[in-house]
Structure formats: C-alpha cells, structure tokens
C-alpha cells in the first residue's frame, strides 16, 4: 500500500473509530416506533415554540416535544402500532396565536410497506387560530436568519482560514461540520451528557479530527508539490468517502440533538427556543474571540501574513508549516462547534454539513476570499436573506434564494464585500 493510501486509510479509520461505539445504539433507534412532524401555519410557514403532546388510545401521554425554529418536532419512542392523538398547544408559539389546543388523530400501522416512524405535516388551519401578521413573521425570520448566519460564519471562517494558508478549497469541510453534529448527538442524546458539556467535548474531538487530516494527508501532499486542482479533487473524494461512512453508521433519518428542553423565550413578536438564543450567544463570543486572536495574537498575525504572502512570511521567520497545522486544528474545532449548534437549530443528519457547504462557500465568496472578517459579514447576509426570502418563496427553495443574493451582489462587487480589487493579466 502506498504512503498516500495509508494516510487516507488512517483518516477514515479515525472517523470510524469515533462512530463505531454509537453504531448499535443508532441502529436500535431506527427500529423504534414514533412520530416525527412539521407544524406550519395557514401561510405554510413553520411554527416554532408550540408544545406537541402524543397520547395513546387510553389517553395516556406517551411523549411531548416543542417545535423548533423549523417547526419540527419528534416523539420517539411510542408503544407501537395503534391510533394516537396528537395535541398541539400554541400558547407560546410564534405568531401570537389564540392559544387554543387542537388535536388530530394519526395511526401507526405495522406492515412491510411502512416505516416505524411516521412523518406528519400538521397545519394550524386545522384549528380556529389566526395567522401571524407579516411584520411579526418578518421579525421572526430575521432573527432566525441572524442565528443561521452566525452558524454559517463559525464554519465558514475555518474554511476561509484554510484557503488563506493552504491555498486550496477544501470540499470536505462540510463533513467536519457533520462530524461535530454526530459527536454532539452521541454525547448529548445517547450518552445523556448535558448539552453544553457535549458541545465542548465534540469541539475538542473536531479539533483532533482536523489535526489528523492535515498531519496524515494534506501536509504530505503539500510537501510533494501536488497541484491545487489535485488537492481540490482529493478533497471531493474524501468528502464522498466520509459521508458514506456517516450514512452507514448513522442512517438516513434526521434526529433531534438532545432530549434536553430549555423551553422558549419571547421577545416581542419573536418566539424562539432558549437553545437558539444560547446558540447565538456562544456564536458571538466565539467569533469575537477569533477576531481578537487574528488581530492581536502572535499566531493570528502569522496566519494573516501567510494569507497575504506565504513566501514573504516564510522569509520573515514565520513557521508556515506550524501555523498551517494550527489553522487546520482550529478549522476542525470551529466546524465541529458549528455542527453541534446547527443540530440544535435544525436536526442532526448524515449530510447536514454537505447541505450547508454551498452556504459556507457563499459566505466566504460574498465576504471576499481569504478574509475572515469579510466571511463573517458575508455569512450573516446569506443567513438573513435565506430565512427572510421564505416569506415569499417556498421553504424548500430558500437556499436557492440565498445563493441568488450572492450572484446579485457579485455582479455589483465582484471582489466581495471586504475583498480587494486585483488586476489580472
């Protein structure tokens, strides 16, 4: 086996080793009966903060959940096949509903053609409630978009720093985000650790994963003088391989990050789970810390120097290899943290990072390639526009709307928000 294949095997083995302990538990989860649903209002917009209660035919409560910012909820497990009553209480939900509790009956049927977990889409129009005003929905979407933008920024800054120091686009960066989400799920949901503790451990594991990737694969390839195009293609192949591993061990189903409930918080017309506000607070603290490190820290200054001109930085005494290795480690940690917070914001799935990858690229390009501060601004613009556009376009197309904003801005300012205009030719 060649050294290159040996190093690639080592990286994949690390991912396997961290996922294998959760394999049997994840497989067991897939065989349990239950409900997973989406709650929408009369305008087909997600309703967050509603309390969902599932009762069996004996009127005994078998499980409760609170809808997240996407209107998603799940109650798993339940007792098995049978008729269940799903009760929806929107007293604290977004949109200032009338506070009525309405019920729908759903049946779980055991047959070879059905899955044990039933996906349910429920509309508030099944009750007598009123749809929220446009202003309330706009405020709700703007805050959710700001939260999404911060999550994109945390992951995208790592991607931008890697591009600045290694000079190639890492298409496997989305799998680092997924790695953090899966580790958070294993620690918080399966191991039962508090969410904040699980997030911290997952971030450390993500840093180790990023370090292992650089030491075993990317640094040897750089030293051999492999072209940037070859590195980019290699990153695509690694992305496909790691994502297949995630799918094998985790399965196709999306799951909630944790059974831990922090309740909801109402600020004027905006009602979000308390975890979303905590996520925004953590994101702001981390982004400010990264900004201070880049501007005043010795390694941060060296990182910016390498990003501007690596040859000149090397002649000035900067250890380019060491700084690049630190950047890969930091990038893995930020991606893992973003994955945990994204799993709280949405749900955890084997392709969650891959789905976010285009938005990360959009944030990096919109802010200006290789500029960390520009990436922050670009990511927030992409996140806010992605969520607000749902007021006019179907929710399934919101990522298309966010990328359309990217194209529109680049037509006016090709170098991005903070990018420098350069002469070519």
């Amino acid at each position: 086996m060649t050294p290159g294949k040996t190093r690639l095997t080592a990286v994949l083995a690390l991912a396997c080793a961290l996922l294998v302990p959760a394999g049997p538990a994840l497989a067991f989860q897939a065989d349990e009966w239950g409900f997973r649903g989406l709650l929408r209002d009369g305008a087909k917009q997600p309703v967050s903060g509603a309390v969902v209660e599932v009762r069996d035919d004996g009127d005994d409560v078998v499980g409760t959940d609170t809808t997240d910012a996407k209107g998603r909820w799940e109650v798993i497990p339940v007792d098995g096949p049978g008729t269940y009553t799903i009760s929806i209480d929107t007293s604290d939900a977004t949109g200032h509903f009338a506070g009525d509790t309405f019920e729908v009956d759903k049946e779980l049927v055991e047959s070879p053609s059905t899955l044990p977990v039933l996906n349910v889409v429920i509309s508030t129009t099944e009750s007598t409630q009123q749809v929220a005003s446009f202003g309330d929905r706009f405020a709700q979407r703007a805050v959710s978009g700001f939260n999404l933008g911060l999550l994109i920024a945390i992951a995208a800054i790592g991607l931008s720093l890697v591009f600045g120091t290694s000079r190639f686009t890492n298409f496997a960066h989305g799998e680092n985000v997924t790695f953090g989400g899966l580790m958070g799920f294993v620690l918080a949901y399966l191991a039962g650790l508090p969410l904040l503790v699980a997030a911290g451990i997952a971030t450390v594991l993500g840093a180790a994963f990023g370090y292992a990737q650089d030491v075993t694969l990317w640094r040897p390839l750089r030293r051999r003088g492999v072209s940037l195009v070859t590195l980019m293609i290699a990153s695509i192949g690694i992305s496909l391989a790691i994502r297949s591993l995630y799918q094998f061990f985790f399965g196709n189903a999306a799951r909630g990050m944790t059974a831990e409930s922090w309740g909801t918080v109402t600020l004027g017309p905006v009602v979000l789970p308390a975890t979303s506000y905590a996520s925004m607070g953590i994101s702001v603290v981390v982004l400010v810390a990264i900004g201070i490190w880049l501007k005043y820290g010795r390694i941060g200054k060296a990182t910016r120097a390498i990003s501007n001109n690596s040859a000149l930085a090397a002649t000035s005494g900067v250890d380019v290899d060491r700084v690049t290795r630190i950047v890969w480690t930091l990038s893995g940690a930020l991606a893992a943290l973003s994955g945990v917070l994204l799993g709280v914001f949405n749900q955890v799935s084997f392709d969650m990072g891959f789905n976010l990858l285009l938005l990360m690229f959009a944030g990096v390009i919109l802010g200006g390639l290789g500029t960390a501060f520009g990436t922050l601004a670009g990511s927030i613009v992409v996140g806010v526009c992605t969520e607000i556009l749902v007021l006019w376009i179907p929710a399934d197309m919101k990522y298309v709307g966010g990328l359309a904003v990217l194209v529109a801005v680049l037509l006016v300012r090709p170098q991005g928000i903070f990018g420098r205009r350069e002469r070519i030719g």
Side-chain angles (χ1 to χ4, degrees):
M1 182 178 293
T2 64
K5 291 182 178 179
T6 302
R7 296 185 183 99
L8 176 58
T9 303
V11 173
L12 297 180
L14 175 62
C16 288
L18 292 170
L19 285 172
V20 163
L26 292 175
F28 176 77
Q29 292 281 330
D31 294 333
E32 293 177 330
W33 293 85
F35 293 91
R36 182 178 294 114
L38 176 66
L39 180 63
R40 294 178 173 176
D41 60 21
K44 297 185 178 180
Q45 303 301 320
V47 176
S48 65
V51 178
V52 181
E53 182 181 86
V54 178
R55 302 194 304 273
D56 59 19
D57 53 6
D59 208 33
D60 295 323
V61 177
V62 296
T64 61
D65 196 12
T66 302
T67 57
D68 62 14
K70 299 284 186 179
R72 294 171 176 170
W73 59 272
E74 68 174 35
V75 174
I76 302 173
V78 298
D79 297 334
T83 300
Y84 293 84
T85 298
I86 302 175
S87 174
I88 311 291
D89 181 3
T90 57
S91 300
D92 297 322
T94 56
H96 303 290
F97 293 104
D100 297 339
T101 297
F102 65 102
E103 300 177 343
V104 293
D105 292 331
K106 297 293 180 181
E107 185 176 7
L108 289 176
V109 180
E110 184 173 15
S111 74
S113 60
T114 59
L115 296 173
V117 177
L118 180 64
N119 291 307
V120 182
V121 178
I122 301 176
S123 173
T124 56
T125 55
E126 299 180 39
S127 72
T128 58
Q129 301 166 17
Q130 301 296 318
V131 178
S133 68
F134 177 82
D136 289 349
R137 288 188 288 127
F138 184 89
Q140 179 77 29
R141 283 291 167 186
V143 175
S144 295
F146 182 70
N147 187 15
L148 176 61
L150 291 174
L151 300 184
I152 296 172
I154 291 178
I157 283 179
L159 180 64
S160 179
L161 291 175
V162 166
F163 176 83
T165 55
S166 301
R167 294 301 176 189
F168 90 98
T169 304
N170 181 21
F171 281 88
H173 191 71
E175 313 321 317
N176 295 341
V177 174
T178 305
F179 179 84
L182 295 183
M183 289 301 100
F185 172 80
V186 170
L187 294 167
Y189 191 88
L190 298 183
L193 294 178
L195 183 57
L196 294 178
V197 175
I201 297 175
T203 301
V204 173
L205 292 175
F209 193 40
Y211 176 84
Q213 290 178 56
D214 184 57
V215 170
T216 61
L217 186 62
W218 301 119
R219 184 175 62 176
L221 290 178
R222 289 195 306 270
R223 286 181 172 178
R224 291 188 177 191
V226 175
S227 69
L228 297 180
V229 174
T230 302
L231 288 174
M232 183 183 69
I233 294 174
S235 72
I236 295 174
I238 291 173
S239 173
L240 292 172
I242 295 178
R243 189 158 66 251
S244 296
L245 284 174
Y246 292 159
Q247 185 177 18
F248 176 78
F249 287 105
F250 187 76
N252 294 321
R255 298 176 176 86
M257 171 64 71
T258 176
E260 187 178 334
S261 177
W262 291 17
T264 58
V265 176
T266 303
L267 295 176
V270 179
V271 183
L272 288 176
T275 50
S276 292
Y277 291 106
S279 171
M280 284 188 277
I282 293 172
S283 300
V284 169
V285 170
V286 170
L287 291 171
V288 169
I290 292 297
I292 294 174
W293 175 76
L294 284 172
K295 193 169 182 64
Y296 301 106
R298 185 170 61 88
I299 301 298
K301 291 178 180 179
T303 300
R304 289 191 289 125
I306 295 173
S307 179
N308 289 331
N309 191 320
S310 60
L312 182 60
T315 58
S316 301
V318 176
D319 188 342
V320 176
D321 260 357
R322 176 172 175 268
V323 173
T324 301
R325 189 161 59 251
I326 292 174
V327 166
W328 272 94
T329 304
L330 178 63
S331 174
L334 292 174
L337 176 61
S338 175
V340 174
L341 298 180
L342 183 65
V344 174
F345 181 75
N346 286 334
Q347 286 183 310
V348 181
S349 64
F350 79 95
D351 59 351
M352 57 187 291
F354 174 73
N355 294 333
L356 193 70
L357 187 62
L358 282 179
L359 294 184
M360 285 190 280
F361 281 132
V364 171
I365 296 171
L366 187 60
L369 286 172
T371 60
F373 298 107
T375 297
L376 170 60
S379 298
I380 292 177
V381 169
V382 170
V384 171
C385 291
T386 296
E387 287 292 327
I388 287 180
L389 286 174
V390 175
L391 296 173
W392 296 281
I393 64 176
D396 294 339
M397 293 181 61
K398 68 178 184 179
Y399 289 165
V400 176
L403 296 175
V405 172
L406 166 67
V407 174
V409 172
L410 291 182
L411 288 175
V412 178
R413 189 175 173 81
Q415 71 270 30
I417 298 174
F418 287 92
R420 294 192 302 267
R421 186 183 297 273
E422 296 182 1
R423 180 176 179 178
I424 300 176

